[in-house]
Amino acid sequence: MAKYVYLFTKGQADGDRSQRELLGGKGANLAEMAAIGLPVPSGFTLTTEVCKSFYQHDRHYPEGVESQVNNALKKLEQEMAKGFGDPVNPLLLSVRSGAPTSMPGMMDTVLNLGLNDQTVQGLINLSGSPRFAYDSYRRFIQMYANVVKGVDGDIFETLLEDKKRAKGIENDNELSAEDLQQLITEFKDSYRQVLNLDFPTDPQQQLWEAISAVFGSWMNQRAVTYRSLNNIPSHWGTAVNVQAMVFGNMGNDCATGVAFTRDPSTGENYFYGEFLVNAQGEDVVAGIRTPQPINKAKYKPGDLPALEDVLPGCYAQLLDHRNTLEKHFRDMQDIEFTIESGKLYMLQTRTGKRTAQAAIRIAVEMVGEKLISKKEAVLRVLPEQLEQLLHPSIDPSVVKNIIAKGLPASPGACSGKVVFNADEAEQQNKLKEKVILVRIETSPEDIHGMNAAQGILTSRGGMTSHAAVVARGMGKSCVAGCGDLHIDYEKQVMVTKSGHTIKRGDIITLDGAAGEVILGDVAKVQPAVSGDFGTLMSWADTFRTLNVRANADTPHDAKIAREFGAEGIGLCRTEHMFFDVKRIQAVREMIVSADLQGRERALSKIMPMQKSDFIGLFREMRGVPVTIRLLDPPLHEFLPQNNDDIADLAALAGMRFSEVKEHVEELHEFNPMLGHRGCRLGLTYPEVYDMQVRAIMEAACELVKNEHYKIVPEIMIPLVADVNELKVLREKAIQVAEQVMATYGVKVDYQIGTMIELPRAALLADLIAEQADFFSFGTNDLTQTTYGLSRDDAGRFLPYYIENGLFLSDPFIKLDRAGVGQLVKMGTEKGRQTRPGLKVGICGEHGGEPSSVEFCHQIGLDYVSCSPYRVPIARLAAAHAALKDE
Amino acid sequence: MAKYVYLFTKGQADGDRSQRELLGGKGANLAEMAAIGLPVPSGFTLTTEVCKSFYQHDRHYPEGVESQVNNALKKLEQEMAKGFGDPVNPLLLSVRSGAPTSMPGMMDTVLNLGLNDQTVQGLINLSGSPRFAYDSYRRFIQMYANVVKGVDGDIFETLLEDKKRAKGIENDNELSAEDLQQLITEFKDSYRQVLNLDFPTDPQQQLWEAISAVFGSWMNQRAVTYRSLNNIPSHWGTAVNVQAMVFGNMGNDCATGVAFTRDPSTGENYFYGEFLVNAQGEDVVAGIRTPQPINKAKYKPGDLPALEDVLPGCYAQLLDHRNTLEKHFRDMQDIEFTIESGKLYMLQTRTGKRTAQAAIRIAVEMVGEKLISKKEAVLRVLPEQLEQLLHPSIDPSVVKNIIAKGLPASPGACSGKVVFNADEAEQQNKLKEKVILVRIETSPEDIHGMNAAQGILTSRGGMTSHAAVVARGMGKSCVAGCGDLHIDYEKQVMVTKSGHTIKRGDIITLDGAAGEVILGDVAKVQPAVSGDFGTLMSWADTFRTLNVRANADTPHDAKIAREFGAEGIGLCRTEHMFFDVKRIQAVREMIVSADLQGRERALSKIMPMQKSDFIGLFREMRGVPVTIRLLDPPLHEFLPQNNDDIADLAALAGMRFSEVKEHVEELHEFNPMLGHRGCRLGLTYPEVYDMQVRAIMEAACELVKNEHYKIVPEIMIPLVADVNELKVLREKAIQVAEQVMATYGVKVDYQIGTMIELPRAALLADLIAEQADFFSFGTNDLTQTTYGLSRDDAGRFLPYYIENGLFLSDPFIKLDRAGVGQLVKMGTEKGRQTRPGLKVGICGEHGGEPSSVEFCHQIGLDYVSCSPYRVPIARLAAAHAALKDE
């Protein structure tokens, strides 16, 4: 017969920690603690197999479960020297869920099981406290009714409140034993009224109904939703742990507490924890009484007495257990303990949650202590966690008045005065005022204002809207697509759904990591990248095979990227250079020019500026590759839309207002994303790409000639759908490049490649590779076209999709492996069929997202490129991917 | 040694008609005619292999060519009993190009070769006419200088004009022999001045230089451009035909003419042709003299004398040759002939070009005559040609004043008064005025105006813009994307680039097949679908395996579709029903409703109308399948944009103006093509699809219950990117359908399938097929997303792409097999992996384009669906594809 029930008691256990799937996380670790001799209250675990069978057979148990439980119960009685249902010396039980993976608070628990009108007398004898015993009984009825029978808990709370009011008292613990006895009667009456049943007095019945209720809670709505949100398969099932009750609330030689083997906030290697004398676990959680520290390692004046002083013997044992657990589990542990009448029990141990900072410090120090290897250390820190370290964050201790929520578009916390347009942001910035730029949506014309602001808040657009992408690139905080806001530019106010009206000049705080808009200025914590961070990253770098580059458009961004460990620039978007306030007029003049001569005249103004940008970029990136994408957005993005600006432009270009106005209107597009952009512009306005290639090559030649730089510019041609487009543009670029090199009399290695960002390019990558020295997958646009999904418009339905599980994740955040990933893989394979060893990378937003980085590693890409602030995340994710691959 | 030179002479030839690639079309047919005993002037052909070698070896000939030409020339001299360069009895030659496929007028020809100051005397002796001989010599110098040496022909024309002026005469033929002798001297002087060379007197030198010049003309700019436009590979090369000259201009027993073995306009089986007495071929082409009919089959009073009366013996021979040729070539032939001194020579025969009507009649009649099989008959008519038969066209005999050109967006010719808005189009239509609706672009709100107009002209948008698609669907003529126009709504005028100003009310004519805008009302030819058309189509239907359905949204369209032979409806776009003027208000009310109740109230107004539409559709389509697509476009397409209409809507919906206005603005999308549409709407506004499914099922149930109809409604869910979308919507649709059937108490077979129109759907078709009873590829949108190319915005660069050979064809017209086709093939294969025998079709514009239909046949689709007017084209194309496959 199958083994359904696993016993554990100090020094001995049927299971061990490797059996999480069978025993659940809690059960496996209880078995492990028991086996290595820690004082665990004895008990047994009903396996997840029982749960599966329970659901497969219409909530009936497989044969053998009952007898195995009865046998286990007998051993438990022997072990504890108590009898289940014994009116003199009663054994009381806890019945708890325990799934293979933690689902905190999602499933049910029943405590003090085994009490009835007889055994409560035994408990009075054992504890010497009728008040304690009746209170335990009262709590049991309440919990049982609610958890096992689904009776609304309010019924009992109301009776309790009535009782306190009648007695004129405020706290539960002021109720006398008699009060509690009366309450027990009232509770039982209510139970009978609601359920038309007597409260069960038979402990066996109590036990089986409780076990079924806990198994049943696996399918409650809360648990089902939690699992679907966290991708936990429902076929796993939960285990049920039945354990002897121990009480931390039987007197002043009793206590209960939680501890971490190291500080979970800082990672410092000292024993950190809190406890309460004469209390139960839920009292610690409830936060009504101030907990006391377990030791004086960080003692401050005014701190309450420490456990090491109050119960020194117990503390010495606990400290000993702490050392045992860390050595045994080789990781920082989160422990729960209870002291019953001076005797220490270990209730739970599990891997402790920790901040990013703590994770790094613990991992690095454990390597020093020879507890773990460097590989393990690298795997102990989650790439996503690093985000916390790279931006300021809201001080977790302060109270926040959240007035609206949007998308967490770019992390970091910041505060400032609200302004509603980019020009004012810039003016205020010059006056040293900190501002938050609030827009319905941003456009390239707002760049200077975004740059001047502390953070950006928009009411429209998704995670990859203009505001979000630019903010992430700049490392600025951004809350995007905040539909709770109604922004009125004319009145210069925004009104939140919650009813707050925020005027121009009012101060707000953004938490870009949480997507929160908070009233007023809120205290922040500055990022502290300790030396351990560098150490860990250096280990990670030795394991990864994927290169990490950054998307950077300016020497400033390039510098940050390099500091964060970028090994090159994977994407420099030249159009961002066009938006500079000093250049945009020349760009506009170029666009509205009626003829080639006019365009060339305007381009000749832009050319020296582009060239000096490239020189700056190349200087910062000495010795590493720099991929420069030629102009990509449609021309209308550069043109003014309002009449004043159009008039300015007309004056500048020596044209009539109506002429310019008409030009602006003619350039309107229905679907600019699918419009006249990328190489389509390069082909129809060849002089633009000529100018850009010339600027790149002159910059490179100058540095090579005058400063003996080693530079490999990679010229990237965007939006290619067909090899012919690339062929023509490549030939032209080579012509210009050769001409520039001849003029300077130097030779520069350069490459010409393309961005694969359209499905057709991936499908025909074998042909396109004939004309490309490298591929860079533009996964943002590739996601848009593969899904037929505009990232700027998806805000109206994508949240619905995520909430309802239609999409498991936002494909603009996490690369869609099945669809978009299939194209990336196909494109890479086809490209390398034609050109073995073709260099391939990705340069979309996905380049800094760990799961996407893992995918890129798996399909054999050469590099990912992401925003400078995400470079460490990508480096660590690449190391994880490589280590998992071993 | 390779054979480079192929001789032909009456009754004997080295080559035959199967050797087009080697001998060129002209050479192969000359050989064939010679071999079957027709009187061809003897000659020889230098093969295309010589041409290839000529270009591979820097314009030198392979060894052996020279000796083979000399031998051939000797045989020619024997045959003709003349000597090349013989001053008494000179052999004169023509040197002509002849490529494997016809490239009319693209390459060079030299006639009268072999003349010099000596041989011209021989020609005088032979012809008895010094004037004729000198004129031939003069022409030869002129042609040789121009063709062989590249001398500007104007130099000689000027000398000729000067001479005529000096003599005070008007026509060339008034010049005397002496005048011509003087001209010859002047021509030779000019030749020497320009080239610093004497005109070559050696016939051998003349011959080789002429051959090289004709081979050289294969690479002239004209020929290169023609080949690239017509997809003729340049490696084919041309052959060169050297032939004894025969003269139709040596006197009144001489003549030259062209003839068709049947009437090329009507296909009627009689000998049709024209000739000129005492003339050369170029005189017939020049059109200076009125040609005479060859016979009196269609004699009209006033016609000039016929050949059968003028030279009855020659005519009898010619008629005999005509019969020989038709029997031999088994197709209608286009013949050139010359009569020299009463002796008939056949200069050329080739398959004659013909109108669609003639093609059909000839094919059907030749089957009757047992000349060809039914399969051959079907293959003789090109599917594209049928277009001519299905719409009125401009009378080819009239002179057109073309004032602008745009895209040939929907065929057919029409005339009417210009109106600039849809409402006026409708009003004028009620007054029985014919109007042309002129818009910058059309939107769904213009539908009633488009319906009321004869044709539609737009200045923006491509071949698949709204105007184009709707017009084709309606079978209306449309010229779209006419960038030559500047339309001013305010002034109610349009100004063409050519400087014409057209006011409201002015009459214009559109030729939708040519993309022409023509001033005034131009005579038109009505489509005449003869009985032969039906016969041919019925044969085609027996050969094809691909089904042909139609895209039809109304009972009216469905009726036309069925008349044209549609075997079902492949796409009914339900949103077109929403635009009806009686319904649009309810639709708008639904959209702006703040809550579900409001939306349901509005939907309940629409539901009965949709239901009655479906009943009408089902009635027309009794017994065949009808695929109905649920709502697809984004909601904002239905909303009014101007303030008056918004105010109307607010009044109707009982809302404030500002509320509605805000709603309209909120629904704005950056890229509506990639926005909140298709199943994304169905998921977020489930009540809309519920209503539509209910309307479909109630319509079907009513007909089944009351009229015992057999109907299989196919419900199609659009814009699916992920199987989860389809799964949820399918479940909901089934729920509604089952409920309706239960209410009616009948069972209707229905299917639920999806449109594959996003790359991701094709990539994951194996998963999607789990939830789909059928697939229909929406190749319009699939082309847009695969290329990342908006059809509405492509007008600014796509023409450039086509003109410059970047794209070989417009992917919105001809399905892109390499990219989009790869996805269609992949999606079909993956879908059938999951669901063997899955029914798959396409319903984009490509469904009526022959090359795309062929592709659909090749990859094993079940059907194509196209606009009703293209159904016959698709049927014939499907037959061609199947026959080519055999």
Side-chain angles (χ1 to χ4, degrees), chain B residues 149-169:
Chain B
K149 296 293 180 184
V151 178
D152 186 349
D154 284 352
I155 292 172
F156 305 108
E157 286 301 322
T158 308
L159 291 171
L160 186 65
E161 290 306 310
D162 288 350
K163 179 69 66 194
K164 287 194 284 189
R165 210 174 11 253
K167 308 288 290 188
I169 56 178

PDB file of all heavy atoms in Angstrom, chain B residues 149-169:
ATOM      1  N   LYS B 149      26.231  53.281 -85.521  1.00  0.00           N
ATOM      2  CA  LYS B 149      27.249  54.212 -85.025  1.00  0.00           C
ATOM      3  C   LYS B 149      26.712  55.221 -84.006  1.00  0.00           C
ATOM      4  O   LYS B 149      27.459  56.060 -83.509  1.00  0.00           O
ATOM      5  CB  LYS B 149      27.864  54.964 -86.222  1.00  0.00           C
ATOM      6  CG  LYS B 149      28.622  54.062 -87.195  1.00  0.00           C
ATOM      7  CD  LYS B 149      29.873  53.482 -86.527  1.00  0.00           C
ATOM      8  CE  LYS B 149      30.639  52.585 -87.494  1.00  0.00           C
ATOM      9  NZ  LYS B 149      31.805  51.947 -86.848  1.00  0.00           N
ATOM     10  N   GLY B 150      25.436  55.185 -83.740  1.00  0.00           N
ATOM     11  CA  GLY B 150      24.883  56.069 -82.714  1.00  0.00           C
ATOM     12  C   GLY B 150      24.817  57.523 -83.119  1.00  0.00           C
ATOM     13  O   GLY B 150      24.744  58.413 -82.277  1.00  0.00           O
ATOM     14  N   VAL B 151      24.832  57.817 -84.443  1.00  0.00           N
ATOM     15  CA  VAL B 151      24.758  59.215 -84.876  1.00  0.00           C
ATOM     16  C   VAL B 151      23.304  59.696 -84.727  1.00  0.00           C
ATOM     17  O   VAL B 151      22.379  58.983 -85.103  1.00  0.00           O
ATOM     18  CB  VAL B 151      25.202  59.356 -86.356  1.00  0.00           C
ATOM     19  CG1 VAL B 151      25.074  60.815 -86.820  1.00  0.00           C
ATOM     20  CG2 VAL B 151      26.619  58.844 -86.527  1.00  0.00           C
ATOM     21  N   ASP B 152      23.146  60.907 -84.207  1.00  0.00           N
ATOM     22  CA  ASP B 152      21.818  61.475 -83.988  1.00  0.00           C
ATOM     23  C   ASP B 152      21.060  61.562 -85.308  1.00  0.00           C
ATOM     24  O   ASP B 152      21.525  62.207 -86.257  1.00  0.00           O
ATOM     25  CB  ASP B 152      22.008  62.871 -83.373  1.00  0.00           C
ATOM     26  CG  ASP B 152      20.681  63.496 -82.977  1.00  0.00           C
ATOM     27  OD1 ASP B 152      19.626  62.942 -83.368  1.00  0.00           O
ATOM     28  OD2 ASP B 152      20.700  64.518 -82.271  1.00  0.00           O
ATOM     29  N   GLY B 153      19.905  60.925 -85.381  1.00  0.00           N
ATOM     30  CA  GLY B 153      19.131  60.875 -86.615  1.00  0.00           C
ATOM     31  C   GLY B 153      18.673  62.237 -87.104  1.00  0.00           C
ATOM     32  O   GLY B 153      18.419  62.433 -88.292  1.00  0.00           O
ATOM     33  N   ASP B 154      18.572  63.215 -86.197  1.00  0.00           N
ATOM     34  CA  ASP B 154      18.100  64.558 -86.569  1.00  0.00           C
ATOM     35  C   ASP B 154      18.978  65.201 -87.636  1.00  0.00           C
ATOM     36  O   ASP B 154      18.489  65.975 -88.457  1.00  0.00           O
ATOM     37  CB  ASP B 154      18.098  65.471 -85.331  1.00  0.00           C
ATOM     38  CG  ASP B 154      16.918  65.157 -84.431  1.00  0.00           C
ATOM     39  OD1 ASP B 154      16.056  64.365 -84.868  1.00  0.00           O
ATOM     40  OD2 ASP B 154      16.866  65.689 -83.311  1.00  0.00           O
ATOM     41  N   ILE B 155      20.284  64.874 -87.589  1.00  0.00           N
ATOM     42  CA  ILE B 155      21.206  65.458 -88.572  1.00  0.00           C
ATOM     43  C   ILE B 155      20.709  65.173 -89.990  1.00  0.00           C
ATOM     44  O   ILE B 155      20.655  66.066 -90.835  1.00  0.00           O
ATOM     45  CB  ILE B 155      22.614  64.858 -88.374  1.00  0.00           C
ATOM     46  CG1 ILE B 155      23.188  65.336 -87.035  1.00  0.00           C
ATOM     47  CG2 ILE B 155      23.543  65.224 -89.528  1.00  0.00           C
ATOM     48  CD1 ILE B 155      24.490  64.652 -86.661  1.00  0.00           C
ATOM     49  N   PHE B 156      20.292  63.913 -90.222  1.00  0.00           N
ATOM     50  CA  PHE B 156      19.864  63.522 -91.561  1.00  0.00           C
ATOM     51  C   PHE B 156      18.473  64.056 -91.879  1.00  0.00           C
ATOM     52  O   PHE B 156      18.194  64.471 -92.998  1.00  0.00           O
ATOM     53  CB  PHE B 156      19.918  61.996 -91.713  1.00  0.00           C
ATOM     54  CG  PHE B 156      21.288  61.443 -91.387  1.00  0.00           C
ATOM     55  CD1 PHE B 156      21.494  60.728 -90.222  1.00  0.00           C
ATOM     56  CD2 PHE B 156      22.373  61.671 -92.243  1.00  0.00           C
ATOM     57  CE1 PHE B 156      22.746  60.239 -89.919  1.00  0.00           C
ATOM     58  CE2 PHE B 156      23.628  61.171 -91.926  1.00  0.00           C
ATOM     59  CZ  PHE B 156      23.838  60.453 -90.762  1.00  0.00           C
ATOM     60  N   GLU B 157      17.616  64.060 -90.889  1.00  0.00           N
ATOM     61  CA  GLU B 157      16.267  64.588 -91.096  1.00  0.00           C
ATOM     62  C   GLU B 157      16.330  66.052 -91.485  1.00  0.00           C
ATOM     63  O   GLU B 157      15.582  66.528 -92.336  1.00  0.00           O
ATOM     64  CB  GLU B 157      15.412  64.414 -89.831  1.00  0.00           C
ATOM     65  CG  GLU B 157      14.953  62.995 -89.551  1.00  0.00           C
ATOM     66  CD  GLU B 157      14.113  62.435 -90.699  1.00  0.00           C
ATOM     67  OE1 GLU B 157      13.311  63.173 -91.307  1.00  0.00           O
ATOM     68  OE2 GLU B 157      14.276  61.216 -90.988  1.00  0.00           O
ATOM     69  N   THR B 158      17.264  66.786 -90.869  1.00  0.00           N
ATOM     70  CA  THR B 158      17.411  68.207 -91.179  1.00  0.00           C
ATOM     71  C   THR B 158      17.867  68.394 -92.625  1.00  0.00           C
ATOM     72  O   THR B 158      17.318  69.226 -93.356  1.00  0.00           O
ATOM     73  CB  THR B 158      18.449  68.849 -90.207  1.00  0.00           C
ATOM     74  OG1 THR B 158      18.073  68.524 -88.879  1.00  0.00           O
ATOM     75  CG2 THR B 158      18.506  70.364 -90.385  1.00  0.00           C
ATOM     76  N   LEU B 159      18.826  67.555 -93.033  1.00  0.00           N
ATOM     77  CA  LEU B 159      19.283  67.659 -94.419  1.00  0.00           C
ATOM     78  C   LEU B 159      18.136  67.374 -95.385  1.00  0.00           C
ATOM     79  O   LEU B 159      17.975  68.059 -96.407  1.00  0.00           O
ATOM     80  CB  LEU B 159      20.440  66.675 -94.674  1.00  0.00           C
ATOM     81  CG  LEU B 159      21.776  67.003 -93.970  1.00  0.00           C
ATOM     82  CD1 LEU B 159      22.770  65.850 -94.126  1.00  0.00           C
ATOM     83  CD2 LEU B 159      22.361  68.307 -94.530  1.00  0.00           C
ATOM     84  N   LEU B 160      17.325  66.377 -95.036  1.00  0.00           N
ATOM     85  CA  LEU B 160      16.186  66.000 -95.858  1.00  0.00           C
ATOM     86  C   LEU B 160      15.193  67.150 -95.951  1.00  0.00           C
ATOM     87  O   LEU B 160      14.717  67.515 -97.035  1.00  0.00           O
ATOM     88  CB  LEU B 160      15.527  64.749 -95.248  1.00  0.00           C
ATOM     89  CG  LEU B 160      14.392  64.102 -96.017  1.00  0.00           C
ATOM     90  CD1 LEU B 160      14.883  63.529 -97.342  1.00  0.00           C
ATOM     91  CD2 LEU B 160      13.773  62.963 -95.186  1.00  0.00           C
ATOM     92  N   GLU B 161      14.907  67.756 -94.792  1.00  0.00           N
ATOM     93  CA  GLU B 161      13.959  68.878 -94.749  1.00  0.00           C
ATOM     94  C   GLU B 161      14.502  70.061 -95.565  1.00  0.00           C
ATOM     95  O   GLU B 161      13.766  70.706 -96.308  1.00  0.00           O
ATOM     96  CB  GLU B 161      13.694  69.306 -93.301  1.00  0.00           C
ATOM     97  CG  GLU B 161      12.893  68.310 -92.470  1.00  0.00           C
ATOM     98  CD  GLU B 161      11.579  67.935 -93.145  1.00  0.00           C
ATOM     99  OE1 GLU B 161      10.836  68.847 -93.563  1.00  0.00           O
ATOM    100  OE2 GLU B 161      11.311  66.703 -93.264  1.00  0.00           O
ATOM    101  N   ASP B 162      15.803  70.337 -95.381  1.00  0.00           N
ATOM    102  CA  ASP B 162      16.420  71.437 -96.127  1.00  0.00           C
ATOM    103  C   ASP B 162      16.247  71.226 -97.630  1.00  0.00           C
ATOM    104  O   ASP B 162      15.884  72.149 -98.381  1.00  0.00           O
ATOM    105  CB  ASP B 162      17.930  71.504 -95.818  1.00  0.00           C
ATOM    106  CG  ASP B 162      18.183  72.013 -94.406  1.00  0.00           C
ATOM    107  OD1 ASP B 162      17.210  72.479 -93.756  1.00  0.00           O
ATOM    108  OD2 ASP B 162      19.338  71.927 -93.940  1.00  0.00           O
ATOM    109  N   LYS B 163      16.488  69.959 -98.015  1.00  0.00           N
ATOM    110  CA  LYS B 163      16.389  69.645 -99.443  1.00  0.00           C
ATOM    111  C   LYS B 163      14.955  69.900 -99.938  1.00  0.00           C
ATOM    112  O   LYS B 163      14.757  70.540-100.972  1.00  0.00           O
ATOM    113  CB  LYS B 163      16.795  68.180 -99.664  1.00  0.00           C
ATOM    114  CG  LYS B 163      16.725  67.673-101.094  1.00  0.00           C
ATOM    115  CD  LYS B 163      17.779  68.317-101.992  1.00  0.00           C
ATOM    116  CE  LYS B 163      19.195  67.921-101.572  1.00  0.00           C
ATOM    117  NZ  LYS B 163      20.230  68.766-102.201  1.00  0.00           N
ATOM    118  N   LYS B 164      13.979  69.434 -99.161  1.00  0.00           N
ATOM    119  CA  LYS B 164      12.590  69.605 -99.586  1.00  0.00           C
ATOM    120  C   LYS B 164      12.242  71.092 -99.644  1.00  0.00           C
ATOM    121  O   LYS B 164      11.604  71.545-100.582  1.00  0.00           O
ATOM    122  CB  LYS B 164      11.632  68.880 -98.633  1.00  0.00           C
ATOM    123  CG  LYS B 164      11.680  67.363 -98.798  1.00  0.00           C
ATOM    124  CD  LYS B 164      10.513  66.661 -98.125  1.00  0.00           C
ATOM    125  CE  LYS B 164      10.692  66.608 -96.631  1.00  0.00           C
ATOM    126  NZ  LYS B 164       9.684  65.764 -95.974  1.00  0.00           N
ATOM    127  N   ARG B 165      12.691  71.854 -98.657  1.00  0.00           N
ATOM    128  CA  ARG B 165      12.416  73.287 -98.653  1.00  0.00           C
ATOM    129  C   ARG B 165      13.041  73.954 -99.888  1.00  0.00           C
ATOM    130  O   ARG B 165      12.400  74.739-100.574  1.00  0.00           O
ATOM    131  CB  ARG B 165      12.935  73.921 -97.363  1.00  0.00           C
ATOM    132  CG  ARG B 165      12.112  75.107 -96.959  1.00  0.00           C
ATOM    133  CD  ARG B 165      12.458  75.748 -95.608  1.00  0.00           C
ATOM    134  NE  ARG B 165      13.689  75.270 -95.009  1.00  0.00           N
ATOM    135  CZ  ARG B 165      13.731  74.468 -93.963  1.00  0.00           C
ATOM    136  NH1 ARG B 165      12.630  74.066 -93.364  1.00  0.00           N
ATOM    137  NH2 ARG B 165      14.902  74.073 -93.486  1.00  0.00           N
ATOM    138  N   ALA B 166      14.297  73.563-100.135  1.00  0.00           N
ATOM    139  CA  ALA B 166      15.004  74.148-101.276  1.00  0.00           C
ATOM    140  C   ALA B 166      14.270  73.862-102.581  1.00  0.00           C
ATOM    141  O   ALA B 166      14.183  74.722-103.472  1.00  0.00           O
ATOM    142  CB  ALA B 166      16.434  73.584-101.336  1.00  0.00           C
ATOM    143  N   LYS B 167      13.671  72.662-102.669  1.00  0.00           N
ATOM    144  CA  LYS B 167      12.950  72.292-103.878  1.00  0.00           C
ATOM    145  C   LYS B 167      11.491  72.744-103.827  1.00  0.00           C
ATOM    146  O   LYS B 167      10.759  72.561-104.799  1.00  0.00           O
ATOM    147  CB  LYS B 167      12.978  70.772-104.102  1.00  0.00           C
ATOM    148  CG  LYS B 167      14.356  70.135-104.061  1.00  0.00           C
ATOM    149  CD  LYS B 167      15.198  70.456-105.279  1.00  0.00           C
ATOM    150  CE  LYS B 167      14.654  69.750-106.511  1.00  0.00           C
ATOM    151  NZ  LYS B 167      15.576  69.891-107.660  1.00  0.00           N
ATOM    152  N   GLY B 168      11.101  73.286-102.739  1.00  0.00           N
ATOM    153  CA  GLY B 168       9.711  73.735-102.595  1.00  0.00           C
ATOM    154  C   GLY B 168       8.708  72.594-102.650  1.00  0.00           C
ATOM    155  O   GLY B 168       7.615  72.748-103.189  1.00  0.00           O
ATOM    156  N   ILE B 169       9.024  71.459-102.110  1.00  0.00           N
ATOM    157  CA  ILE B 169       8.088  70.339-102.116  1.00  0.00           C
ATOM    158  C   ILE B 169       7.771  69.891-100.695  1.00  0.00           C
ATOM    159  O   ILE B 169       8.460  70.281 -99.745  1.00  0.00           O
ATOM    160  CB  ILE B 169       8.652  69.126-102.908  1.00  0.00           C
ATOM    161  CG1 ILE B 169      10.002  68.725-102.313  1.00  0.00           C
ATOM    162  CG2 ILE B 169       8.739  69.434-104.376  1.00  0.00           C
ATOM    163  CD1 ILE B 169      10.614  67.527-102.977  1.00  0.00           C
TER     164      ILE B 169
END
